[in-house]
Amino acid sequence: MSSVAVLTQESFAEHRSGLAQQHVKVTALNSEEENDPPTYKEAFPPLPEKAPCLETAQEPAGPWCKIRPIKASVITQVFHVPLEERKYKDMNQFGEGEQAKICLDIMQKTGAHLELSLAKDQGLSIMVSGKLEAVMKARKEIVARLQTQASATVAIPKEHHRFVIGKNGEKLQDLELKTATKIQIPRPDDPSNQIKITGTKEGIEKARHEILLISAEQDKRAVERLDVEKVYHPFIAGPYNKLVSELMQDTGTRINIPPPSVNKTEIVFTGEKEQLAQAVARVKKIYEEKKKKTTTIAVEVKKSQHKYVIGPKGNSLQEILEKTGVSVEIPPTDSSSETVILRGEPEKLGQALTEVYAKANSFTVSSVSAPSWLHRFIIGKKGQNLAKITQQMPKVHIEFTEGEDKITLEGPTEDVNVAQEQIEVMVKDLINRMDYAEINVDHKFHRHLIGKNGANINRIKDLYKVSVRIPPDNEKSNLIRIEGDPQGVQQAKKELLELASRMENERTKDLIIEQKFHRTIIGQKGERIREIREKFPEVIINFPDPAHKSDIVQLRGPKNEVEKCTKYMQKMVADLVENSFSISVPIFKQFHKNIIGKGGANIKKIREESNTKIDLPAENSNSETIVITGKRANCEAARHRILAIQKELANITEVEVSIPSKLHNSLIGAKGRFIRSIMEECGGVHIHFPTEGSGSDTVTIRGPAQDVEKAKKQLLHLAEEKQTKSYTVDLRAKPEYHKFLIGKGGGNIRKVRDNTGARIIFPTSEDKDQELITIMGTEEAVKEAQKELEALIKNLDNVVEDSMVVDPKHHRHFVIRRGQVLREIADEYGGVMVSFPRSGTQSDKVTLKGAKDCVEAAKKRIQEIIEDLEAQVTIECTIPQKFHRSIMGPKGSRIQQITRDYGVQIKFPDREENPAPVAEPAVQENGEEGGESKDGDPSSPKKCDIIVISGRREKCEAAKEALQALVPVTIEVEVPFDLHRYIIGQKGSGIRKMMDEFEVNIQVPAPELQSDIITITGLAANLDRAKTGLLARVKELQAEQEDRALRSFKLTVTVDPKYHPKIIGRKGAVITQIRTEHEVNIQFPDKDDESQAQDQITITGYEKNAEAARDAIMKIVGELEQMVSEDVTLDHRVHARIIGARGKAIRKIMDEFKVDIRFPQSGAPDPNCVTVTGLPENVEEAIDHILNLEEEYLADVVDNEAMQVYMKPSSHEESKAPSKGFVVRDAPWATVNNEKAPDMSSSEDFPSFGAQVAPKTLPWGPKR
C-alpha cells in the first residue's frame, strides 16, 4: 500500500510549518518488496488531548465537555382574524383567489412561512413561522392586507412627536411592528397635533396607549436652550466628550452639543426641571471661565497636513485637547486657508503647538513603482497579499490607481518605510517570475474563444496557470492580454492564436429551413439535434429564436464539415417536406364514426397501412374536412380508402364537370365564400377544385345524387355567366338585419334572386367582416338586386316605435324560458325590441321598437302566435310505452324535430316502473274496492301509454301521424339456419354493420331453437331496405358456400417420410411456395400420431389446383429419389471454420453445389463423420471442396497448437496466494501483555456524551 502527496507551489507556504515538525515518509511506487505493515497508531491516529473545561470541572469528567444548548432562531406564532374583520369572506373555495395570492406575496417578501386554516366560527387562523423579525413583518402585512382596517386619532403636543418617531424613525417602526398598525405623524411644518393610527381595533388600542405613555413621560421633562459661542464647544464637551458625559451622568440631563460640522451655537438641555437647572448652571460656569482665561495663537500648517492634525475621526485633536487642554480649530476642507488657530490657557499653548507640528509631520506619503498589470497580483486573491501588510501596519493606507504604474502609500513614516520595502520585494519577485503578452484577435471571435460557459478559456487558464483578460463585448476591442508564468504565457498565446486562426479559416453558412420544421429537426427533447451535433462535432448549429419568425439556421465550423452538415440537413428537410404533403378530404359528418371504426380500429389500420397522419375534426365542430399528412402517394392512397368507405355507406355519387381553370378563382370567391354558398344551398355537397397551377379544368362534385345534379347545373350556369359577363357589387348591412333580409327558410332572398337572376352571398360566422354582402351576376341583374336590397336596408335603418294589444293571459307564453320566444323574434326580424308589461300590472299594451318593416313583420308573427295559442287544442296519441324510447331517438332528436316541424308541444307520460302482468286480475285488499283503472274497461289505454300533443288541431293531427310513423314495426325473414353464424359475423360485427346501415334492430334466434326465422324491427320506411339487404347477404353467403364445397376437394399423395423435410423446406419455404402458387392447403401426417399413415400427404382445394400441387410435390420427390448420400471424414477441429459464423459459410457451400451437408451432433460416436446429400456429380464436387478446406484449415490449427506451448499460462490459471487482508502492527489486542480487544459495552472504552441519564422507572415495570 502506498500513498502519494502532491504539494503545489501555492500550498507550500500553508503546509511548511506543519511539514517541519512531521517526519515525511516516501514510499517507492514500483517497489517489488512488500513494505512493513503500518502501526496501529499510524493507521488510526488518536484524537488530540484537550484540557478539561474549567466551567464543567465540578461535573463528572467525561472525554467531551458538555455541549451548550443552541437557542432556536425560528419561532412560530398564531394570529386569529375574526369573521367580522376578514377582508375576503366570499370565496368559492378556500385556498384560492386573492387571499391565497396575498399570502404567497407575504411569504416571498418577508421570508416567513404561513399556514391558513378556518375555525368553526369562520374566523381565520394564521400560523406564521420564521425568524422573529420576519414573523413580526409578516404579522404587520397580514393585518394590513387580510384584516379590515379601522382608524383613530390621538392628540399629543407637537413637541412630543419626535419622541414617538425616535432616532432615525426606529421607535415608530418598532411601535408599528409591535401593534401591527400604520401610524401617520404630521410633518414638522404641519400645525396639526393629531396622530392618525390605522389597523385592527386591538392594534389601535395598543398603539394609542403606547403613544399616550410616551407623551406623559415627556410632560415631566423640561427643555432649555443655551447660546454658547461655537469655539467654546470643545471645552464644554471635553476631550472625547468625557466632560459632557460626566455632566449628563451627574445631573440625569440630556445635553445636545451640535457637532463641529454643523454651524449652530445653541446647546439643548432636556430633563427633569431641577436637574436641568443644575446642568445649565455648570455649563455656563465652564463657558464664563474659559472666556476669561483663554487666548489664541494662529499658525500656518500645509493644507495637505491638516488631515494628520485632525487624525482619524478627529482623534488627534481630542488627544491634544486631553494632553494640553487646548482646542485646535482647523479651517473647513473647502476653504483654501492654511491657518490653524490654537485656543487655550497661555501657559499651555506652547506645548499644544509642539503637538500640532509633531502630528503634522508624523505622517508621510510615498510611492512604489509597479506596472499596472501586476497590481492585482500584489493585492492577491480576495486581497490576501495586501491583508498581510495592512494587518502588520494598520495605520498605512495603500492606494492603487487604475492605469498608473505606481502604488501610493500613506501613513506614519516608520510604518510607510517598512510597507514600502515589503511591496518593493513583492514587485521585484513578481517581475522576475511573471510575464505578460498581448495578442490581437477580432472581437467577433472572442465569445468562441471563451466557449460555452467559459469552457475553452477556463481550460487554458488551468492548463497553463495563466490569467487571460478578454475585453467585454461593448468595448469592441481586439486586444487580449495573457498574464502569468513566462512559459505558460507563451504556450497560452500560441494556443489562443491557433484557435483564432482556425476560426478565421472557418466558414459560416446560412441554411434556409422553414420555421415550422425547426421543432421537428431539434426533436421533442433535443434528441435529434444532439444526434446531428454528435455526427458533426466541429460544426456549431444555431437555430433562430422562435419569437423572431426567422427561417435562417446558421452553421459554423471547418469548411468541409459545414458542407457535409449542410447536405445532411438539406436531405433531412427534403424528407420532412416530402412527408409533410397534406390533402383535405371532405367527408359527410355522419360517416366520420364509420371511418374511425370501433375503438378507432379502421382509422388506425388506414394510418398504419398508408404510413400517414390522419386528423379528424372534433365531434362538436361543424367542420367535415379530414386532413391527411405524409408522402404524396401515401396521402392519395389513404384518401382513396376513406372515400371508398363513404361511397360504400351512402348513396353518394361523384360527378366531374369541366370548367375552364381561369374561371376557378372567381367561382371559389374571396376566402371560398362564393363556392361555400353554392355547397350550402345544394344540401351540403362537396365541390373540389384542382390545385392552382395544375392546368386541370376538372371540378369534382360529390354528394347525394339529387343534390349533385342541382350543384352541377348551378356551377355550369355560373361558369357560363362568368365567361359572358360577370359583375360583382359589395353592400353593407348590420349583421342583425341579415336574417330578416334572408327571410324564413331563405324566402326573401330567393324572391330577389328569382326576380333579378343575381346571386347574393351573406357572410358566414367565420368571416371577419360580418357586415359585407356580395352580389354577383350580370351587370343588369346585379344592379337590380342591389336596388332592391338597398331599399330593404334603408327601410330597416328607419327605426320606429309601435304598439299592439295582447291579452295578458298570453303574456307568459312569450316571456317564459327567459324570453326565448322574444329572442327568436328579435333574431328573425332584424333585432326588433319587444317589451311586454311587467307581471302584476294588468296592462295589455306591448311595445315594439326597430326598423319599420321588421316591426310590422314581428307584429304579424306575434299575431300568428296568439292565433295559434287561441286555436290550441290537446289531443292524445296512444303508443305502448315500450316504443317511447325509440320514438324519442338519440338524446330526444326525433321528437325535437317533430316539435320544430309542426310547431306543437309533445309531452310523454312518466314511466311505469313495475307494469302489472295483463293476465292477472286486480286483487282487492281488506275488502276495499280498487280505483277506477281497476274497475274500468280493460280495453281502455293505460296512462303510461298516452302521449299528449298540444297545438293547432291540424298541426296536432299531422304531428300524431308523424309520431305513429315512428312506431317500430316487426317483420320476419326466412334465412337457412346454417347461415346465421355468418350473418352475425366475428364478434357480431356483420349484424352490427347491417343494423347501423339500415337503422333497424335484427334479432337472430338462439342456436338451440334451430329456427330459420330472423325478425327485423324498425321504422316502416327502413324495413324494406333492411329486408333487401339481408336477402342480398344470404345470396352472397350461399354463393360462398357453393364455392367452399368446390374448394374442399381432397387428394392424397403417398410419399416416403424421409422426403418430407425436403418437401417442407427450410422454415417451410418450399411447401409455402406450393400452397401460395396453387391456392391449396397441404397437410403432412403428425409424427406422434401412430394411427395416421406416415407416408400420406393430404391436399385440399379446387380439384384442378390440388392436382397441380400434387404434380409439383411428385416432381420434387422424383428429384430426391435420384439423390445419393455419402459420408466423409473431416477432422472435428475444422468443423467450426467450415460452418462459419451463424452457418453462413456452410450455407454458401450448400447453395453453390446444390447439396445438403449434415455435421455430427455433440456426443455422436464418430465426431469426424459428415454426411453430404445431393445429385451424384454435385456430391462429389462438394466433398472435394470441403476436403480442400479441411487441409487448409488444419494447417492453421496445428500452428496455433504449437504456439500455445510457448505461451505463458493465462493469469486466471495462476494459483493466487490467499489475501492477508488489512494488517497493522502494535494493535492493542496484539501486544505482549495480551490485552483484550476493546469491550463495546464498556462505558470506559466507549464513553457517552456528557452525564449519563438515569433510566426512567415506570409504575408498571420495564417495557417489554
Side-chain angles (χ1 to χ4, degrees):
M1 190 177 132
S2 63
S3 63
V4 181
V6 179
L7 203 61
T8 60
Q9 192 177 355
E10 288 84 351
S11 55
F12 177 71
E14 294 169 32
H15 295 295
R16 188 168 50 188
S17 55
L19 289 173
Q21 294 153 14
Q22 289 177 19
H23 173 64
V24 180
K25 191 174 188 178
V26 181
T27 309
L29 283 171
N30 297 327
S31 165
E32 288 197 7
E33 287 178 17
E34 192 175 342
N35 299 313
D36 287 342
T39 65
Y40 179 77
K41 280 195 176 179
E42 279 173 352
F44 305 104
L47 290 169
E49 290 294 324
K50 192 176 178 184
C53 299
L54 295 171
E55 300 84 40
T56 56
Q58 67 273 23
E59 290 181 16
W64 289 280
C65 295
K66 198 172 183 182
I67 297 165
R68 282 190 202 158
I70 297 168
K71 205 173 182 184
S73 62
V74 175
I75 64 154
T76 301
Q77 286 192 16
V78 178
F79 308 121
H80 190 72
V81 181
L83 175 65
E84 60 276 6
E85 288 184 21
R86 273 178 58 196
K87 219 180 223 182
Y88 302 98
K89 295 177 197 171
D90 308 320
M91 288 190 299
N92 298 336
Q93 205 172 338
F94 184 68
E96 288 185 359
E98 202 60 34
Q99 185 169 275
K101 285 181 192 169
I102 286 168
C103 290
L104 278 171
D105 188 43
I106 293 171
M107 293 204 302
Q108 283 171 350
K109 267 190 188 174
T110 62
H113 178 70
L114 270 65
E115 281 182 29
L116 274 75
S117 58
L118 273 180
K120 282 184 182 175
D121 61 357
Q122 292 299 301
L124 193 65
S125 290
I126 303 157
M127 187 165 82
V128 188
S129 314
K131 293 193 175 171
L132 178 65
E133 191 185 349
V135 169
M136 297 312 283
K137 280 183 184 171
R139 180 191 170 199
K140 188 183 171 188
E141 288 277 340
I142 289 164
V143 167
R145 294 169 72 177
L146 294 181
Q147 217 165 339
T148 51
Q149 305 287 295
S151 66
T153 57
V154 59
I156 63 167
K158 186 85 178 166
E159 58 269 22
H160 295 172
H161 287 192
R162 65 195 183 91
F163 297 105
V164 176
I165 295 167
K167 191 179 180 184
N168 297 332
E170 280 173 9
K171 192 154 191 179
L172 180 65
Q173 281 174 9
D174 193 38
L175 191 56
E176 283 183 335
L177 271 178
K178 267 188 197 167
T179 60
T181 56
K182 174 79 182 147
I183 300 168
Q184 288 170 293
I185 294 172
R187 293 177 66 79
D189 50 12
D190 188 343
S192 168
N193 64 353
Q194 298 279 345
I195 293 176
K196 188 180 177 185
I197 311 164
T198 312
T200 59
K201 288 174 189 172
E202 187 192 347
I204 289 170
E205 284 306 311
K206 276 188 192 172
R208 196 166 176 277
H209 174 71
E210 289 287 335
I211 289 167
L212 289 171
L213 268 180
I214 293 166
S215 181
E217 205 179 299
Q218 295 308 317
D219 279 339
K220 296 175 191 172
R221 302 167 77 81
V223 176
E224 194 170 322
R225 289 175 171 77
L226 182 67
D227 207 37
V228 175
E229 283 177 62
K230 186 85 178 165
V231 291
Y232 293 105
H233 286 190
F235 298 112
I236 292 160
Y240 301 107
N241 288 332
K242 280 180 187 170
L243 198 58
V244 78
S245 300
E246 274 173 33
L247 199 54
M248 279 157 69
Q249 214 168 346
D250 293 350
T251 61
T253 307
R254 188 158 174 234
I255 303 168
N256 186 14
I257 300 172
S261 56
V262 177
N263 199 18
K264 276 189 181 177
T265 58
E266 209 172 62
I267 296 174
V268 182
F269 299 82
T270 316
E272 302 288 334
K273 287 176 184 171
E274 287 174 22
Q275 292 166 329
L276 185 135
Q278 260 183 317
V280 170
R282 280 173 70 175
V283 167
K284 274 184 181 174
K285 188 183 173 188
I286 295 167
Y287 173 46
E288 295 299 334
E289 198 178 299
K290 291 293 176 188
K291 213 172 177 184
K292 280 181 194 171
K293 289 185 178 177
T294 57
T295 181
T296 60
I297 59 163
V299 293
E300 295 295 315
V301 176
K302 278 184 192 173
K303 189 78 181 171
S304 61
Q305 291 179 321
H306 285 193
K307 60 182 176 183
Y308 307 132
V309 176
I310 297 166
K313 295 179 185 175
N315 278 350
S316 299
L317 294 179
Q318 298 297 333
E319 201 183 307
I320 294 167
L321 183 62
E322 190 176 35
K323 275 188 186 175
T324 63
V326 173
S327 162
V328 181
E329 294 160 26
I330 306 282
T333 49
D334 52 3
S335 160
S336 58
S337 169
E338 293 189 339
T339 307
V340 174
I341 296 167
L342 282 76
R343 188 180 303 274
E345 291 172 19
E347 62 274 17
K348 303 277 179 73
L349 286 173
Q351 190 190 344
L353 187 62
T354 311
E355 284 287 335
V356 166
Y357 278 122
K359 296 282 180 203
N361 296 318
S362 66
F363 276 73
T364 184
V365 176
S366 176
S367 69
V368 176
S369 181
S372 59
W373 65 273
L374 282 178
H375 288 188
R376 59 200 195 86
F377 296 105
I378 294 164
I379 295 165
K381 198 174 184 181
K382 293 180 184 174
Q384 282 174 347
N385 297 351
L386 211 58
K388 287 174 189 171
I389 298 170
T390 51
Q391 278 166 8
Q392 286 173 14
M393 291 150 282
K395 290 181 182 177
V396 176
H397 173 70
I398 303 167
E399 194 178 325
F400 293 84
T401 311
E402 200 174 332
E404 284 188 21
D405 290 345
K406 65 171 185 174
I407 301 165
T408 312
L409 289 87
E410 194 177 294
T413 312
E414 285 179 19
D415 289 359
V416 165
N417 291 339
V418 174
Q420 188 174 345
E421 275 178 37
Q422 286 189 12
I423 289 171
E424 279 172 351
V425 168
M426 209 185 281
V427 169
K428 196 175 179 183
D429 174 50
L430 285 168
I431 287 171
N432 288 340
R433 64 185 180 82
M434 296 289 271
D435 194 5
Y436 78 92
E438 288 178 346
I439 57 171
N440 268 304
V441 176
D442 196 326
H443 68 268
K444 69 183 176 188
F445 298 131
H446 287 186
R447 65 192 185 96
H448 304 301
L449 287 178
I450 293 165
K452 193 175 183 181
N453 299 329
N456 289 355
I457 209 73
N458 288 340
R459 183 184 57 78
I460 290 169
K461 282 178 179 178
D462 295 344
L463 185 64
Y464 303 119
K465 302 283 184 288
V466 292
S467 160
V468 182
R469 304 187 72 187
I470 295 175
D473 284 349
N474 54 4
E475 283 185 21
K476 304 281 186 209
S477 167
N478 295 346
L479 202 68
I480 294 176
R481 190 180 175 97
I482 311 160
E483 298 164 356
D485 175 67
Q487 194 181 346
V489 166
Q490 290 309 315
Q491 285 173 320
K493 178 182 175 180
K494 187 183 173 187
E495 186 165 336
L496 283 170
L497 286 170
E498 273 176 20
L499 272 173
S501 69
R502 204 183 305 157
M503 278 168 196
E504 281 167 6
N505 296 330
E506 275 184 355
R507 176 159 177 214
T508 301
K509 188 164 184 176
D510 289 347
L511 205 57
I512 307 292
I513 298 173
E514 277 185 76
Q515 198 177 29
K516 65 179 179 182
F517 297 129
H518 291 187
R519 189 72 257 157
T520 319
I521 292 168
I522 292 165
Q524 203 172 6
K525 289 178 182 172
E527 68 282 352
R528 291 186 76 174
I529 196 69
R530 212 175 295 123
E531 206 178 293
I532 298 169
R533 284 181 173 141
E534 281 168 11
K535 209 176 180 81
F536 305 101
E538 291 180 63
V539 180
I540 296 166
I541 305 167
N542 287 324
F543 282 86
D545 192 311
H548 293 160
K549 304 282 182 207
S550 169
D551 293 342
I552 296 170
V553 175
Q554 198 179 64
L555 309 180
R556 195 173 52 74
K559 191 176 176 181
N560 293 347
E561 288 297 302
V562 167
E563 285 304 324
K564 283 181 195 170
C565 187
T566 305
K567 280 178 186 171
Y568 182 80
M569 286 182 78
Q570 280 170 341
K571 186 177 181 297
M572 198 181 194
V573 172
D575 289 347
L576 286 173
V577 170
E578 190 185 350
N579 288 323
S580 65
F581 176 78
S582 178
I583 51 172
S584 299
V585 189
I587 297 290
F588 293 100
K589 195 81 180 176
Q590 65 264 37
F591 302 128
H592 283 202
K593 65 176 186 289
N594 304 88
I595 284 159
I596 294 165
K598 190 175 182 183
N602 288 1
I603 200 78
K604 193 178 177 187
K605 192 178 178 187
I606 297 169
R607 278 176 182 148
E608 284 172 2
E609 288 179 9
S610 62
N611 194 19
T612 55
K613 182 185 172 207
I614 302 171
D615 294 312
L616 284 98
E619 255 184 84
N620 52 4
S621 86
N622 297 323
S623 170
E624 294 187 334
T625 308
I626 293 174
V627 180
I628 309 168
T629 313
K631 290 187 176 175
R632 191 184 191 114
N634 296 353
C635 289
E636 291 293 346
R639 177 171 174 258
H640 180 71
R641 286 183 66 168
I642 289 170
L643 289 173
I645 293 171
Q646 178 178 256
K647 205 167 187 180
E648 189 185 319
L649 290 168
N651 177 25
I652 301 294
T653 57
E654 193 175 286
V655 172
E656 289 185 349
V657 185
S658 185
I659 294 171
S661 56
K662 62 182 178 184
L663 298 177
H664 290 186
N665 279 349
S666 58
L667 284 173
I668 292 165
K671 292 184 182 172
R673 285 177 65 208
F674 192 25
I675 202 70
R676 210 181 300 127
S677 74
I678 297 171
M679 293 198 298
E680 282 167 12
E681 197 180 313
C682 300
V685 295
H686 294 145
I687 301 172
H688 177 71
F689 282 83
T691 50
E692 205 174 340
S694 64
S696 170
D697 293 346
T698 307
V699 176
T700 312
I701 310 168
R702 193 183 305 112
Q706 206 176 342
D707 293 336
V708 166
E709 202 51 46
K710 191 177 173 186
K712 181 182 173 182
K713 277 181 189 172
Q714 283 212 27
L715 264 182
L716 289 170
H717 174 67
L718 283 164
E720 203 177 310
E721 266 186 20
K722 292 267 177 202
Q723 269 180 311
T724 51
K725 41 190 173 180
S726 177
Y727 190 69
T728 307
V729 161
D730 287 344
L731 274 182
R732 304 191 84 78
K734 290 179 185 172
E736 57 265 29
Y737 294 162
H738 292 190
K739 269 196 179 175
F740 182 72
L741 291 171
I742 294 164
K744 197 168 185 181
N748 295 357
I749 212 69
R750 205 178 296 116
K751 198 174 168 187
V752 175
R753 193 181 291 160
D754 293 344
N755 291 347
T756 62
R759 170 171 289 280
I760 299 149
I761 302 163
F762 284 85
T764 61
S765 55
E766 286 93 36
D767 290 335
K768 279 187 184 173
D769 193 344
Q770 288 291 306
E771 291 189 358
L772 191 72
I773 301 168
T774 309
I775 311 170
M776 299 176 92
T778 60
E779 190 173 349
E780 190 184 334
V782 167
K783 284 187 175 173
E784 204 176 323
Q786 184 184 3
K787 198 175 173 184
E788 280 193 40
L789 280 174
E790 278 174 345
L792 280 168
I793 293 163
K794 196 175 180 185
N795 285 347
L796 290 174
D797 285 333
N798 177 19
V799 176
V800 294
E801 195 169 314
D802 201 352
S803 64
M804 66 185 291
V805 174
V806 176
D807 193 322
K809 70 179 178 184
H810 298 313
H811 288 193
R812 188 170 177 277
H813 175 79
F814 289 94
V815 297
I816 57 167
R817 297 196 301 279
R818 297 182 183 176
Q820 189 180 337
V821 177
L822 293 180
R823 273 205 308 279
E824 283 170 6
I825 291 169
D827 283 351
E828 207 168 318
Y829 301 103
V832 69
M833 283 169 65
V834 185
S835 304
F836 275 76
R838 284 170 182 261
S839 58
T841 60
Q842 289 305 306
S843 170
D844 57 2
K845 188 182 176 187
V846 174
T847 312
L848 296 94
K849 189 178 181 183
K852 193 177 180 182
D853 289 356
C854 294
V855 167
E856 286 305 318
K859 272 171 80 175
K860 194 177 171 187
R861 177 74 187 119
I862 291 169
Q863 208 60 51
E864 279 174 19
I865 293 169
I866 292 164
E867 280 172 26
D868 281 353
L869 290 170
E870 285 175 346
Q872 189 164 312
V873 294
T874 300
I875 65 165
E876 292 180 348
C877 173
T878 306
I879 294 171
Q881 188 186 17
K882 63 181 178 181
F883 299 130
H884 288 190
R885 184 176 284 179
S886 67
I887 287 169
M888 285 179 184
K891 295 180 184 176
S893 58
R894 289 177 182 164
I895 220 69
Q896 285 165 9
Q897 189 65 40
I898 294 172
T899 309
R900 276 199 299 273
D901 290 350
Y902 299 102
V904 293
Q905 287 184 332
I906 301 170
K907 189 173 186 302
F908 279 79
D910 292 333
R911 286 181 69 80
E912 189 178 45
E913 289 303 321
N914 297 309
V918 182
E920 288 181 23
V923 179
Q924 292 182 0
E925 292 184 13
N926 304 331
E928 292 176 13
E929 288 192 5
E932 281 175 35
S933 63
K934 288 178 184 177
D935 293 339
D937 180 11
S939 64
S940 66
K942 286 184 183 177
K943 201 175 178 184
C944 63
D945 294 343
I946 297 167
I947 299 168
V948 179
I949 308 168
S950 308
R952 287 179 92 98
R953 180 166 289 281
E954 63 276 14
K955 288 187 176 177
C956 285
E957 292 296 339
K960 184 178 178 180
E961 282 177 27
L963 278 176
Q964 284 168 338
L966 289 173
V967 175
V969 182
T970 302
I971 59 164
E972 293 180 345
V973 182
E974 198 171 328
V975 175
F977 174 73
D978 59 332
L979 295 180
H980 288 194
R981 64 195 185 100
Y982 301 112
I983 285 165
I984 292 166
Q986 197 175 14
K987 292 182 182 176
S989 60
I991 203 154
R992 201 161 42 245
K993 186 184 174 187
M994 286 170 78
M995 290 190 332
D996 290 346
E997 193 177 331
F998 303 119
E999 294 179 15
V1000 291
N1001 183 32
I1002 301 171
Q1003 200 73 38
V1004 179
E1008 56 268 20
L1009 296 175
Q1010 298 278 313
S1011 169
D1012 290 347
I1013 305 298
I1014 289 178
T1015 54
I1016 307 174
T1017 309
L1019 302 182
N1022 297 340
L1023 288 178
D1024 289 340
R1025 278 175 56 234
K1027 186 178 177 179
T1028 312
L1030 182 59
L1031 292 172
R1033 178 74 180 132
V1034 168
K1035 269 187 187 174
E1036 206 178 287
L1037 289 169
Q1038 283 171 339
E1040 278 179 20
Q1041 242 178 356
E1042 286 169 20
D1043 185 58
R1044 209 176 294 121
L1046 290 172
R1047 252 200 342 258
S1048 56
F1049 175 79
K1050 275 191 181 179
L1051 197 70
T1052 309
V1053 186
T1054 305
V1055 176
D1056 191 327
K1058 68 178 179 182
Y1059 298 134
H1060 290 191
K1062 288 290 173 192
I1063 295 167
I1064 293 166
R1066 184 177 163 77
K1067 291 183 182 176
V1070 179
I1071 203 69
T1072 305
Q1073 194 180 344
I1074 297 170
R1075 278 175 183 151
T1076 314
E1077 202 176 309
H1078 300 288
E1079 293 176 353
V1080 291
N1081 181 26
I1082 301 169
Q1083 208 69 38
F1084 283 82
D1086 188 354
K1087 287 180 186 175
D1088 302 327
D1089 190 354
E1090 291 176 8
S1091 62
Q1092 277 187 335
Q1094 291 295 308
D1095 59 353
Q1096 299 293 313
I1097 297 173
T1098 310
I1099 307 168
T1100 313
Y1102 291 116
E1103 189 177 350
K1104 195 169 79 176
N1105 293 2
E1107 286 171 355
R1110 179 195 59 196
D1111 295 345
I1113 289 171
M1114 292 316 289
K1115 188 184 173 188
I1116 294 169
V1117 171
E1119 285 175 5
L1120 290 169
E1121 282 172 344
Q1122 291 175 20
M1123 287 185 182
V1124 292
S1125 277
E1126 272 192 43
D1127 289 345
V1128 58
T1129 303
L1130 271 186
D1131 194 308
H1132 66 276
R1133 290 173 294 176
V1134 298
H1135 287 193
R1137 284 283 298 275
I1138 291 169
I1139 293 165
R1142 294 182 184 175
K1144 205 172 175 184
I1146 199 69
R1147 264 202 308 278
K1148 192 178 174 187
I1149 296 167
M1150 291 197 305
D1151 291 345
E1152 191 182 329
F1153 296 101
K1154 294 184 178 58
V1155 292
D1156 181 51
I1157 302 170
R1158 297 278 165 203
F1159 284 84
Q1161 290 183 338
S1162 57
D1166 183 1
N1168 300 331
C1169 181
V1170 175
T1171 308
V1172 185
T1173 309
L1175 295 172
E1177 60 273 19
N1178 293 351
V1179 167
E1180 280 175 25
E1181 284 176 24
I1183 288 171
D1184 286 347
H1185 181 73
I1186 57 177
L1187 287 172
N1188 288 339
L1189 287 174
E1190 179 198 24
E1191 199 177 316
E1192 188 184 320
Y1193 295 157
L1194 209 51
D1196 291 348
V1197 170
V1198 172
D1199 289 351
N1200 282 342
E1201 284 174 356
M1203 284 296 288
Q1204 289 300 320
V1205 177
Y1206 301 102
M1207 294 286 279
K1208 230 175 137 181
S1210 58
S1211 56
H1212 60 83
E1213 287 169 1
E1214 287 176 22
S1215 58
K1216 285 186 179 177
S1219 170
K1220 288 182 187 177
F1222 180 67
V1223 181
V1224 290
R1225 289 182 292 120
D1226 306 337
W1229 56 86
T1231 47
V1232 183
N1233 56 4
N1234 293 325
E1235 258 186 55
K1236 284 187 295 179
D1239 179 8
M1240 289 170 76
S1241 60
S1242 159
S1243 60
E1244 203 173 308
D1245 289 348
F1246 294 93
S1248 63
F1249 283 91
Q1252 200 172 2
V1253 180
K1256 193 175 181 182
T1257 54
L1258 297 170
W1260 296 282
K1263 277 187 187 176
R1264 283 183 190 147

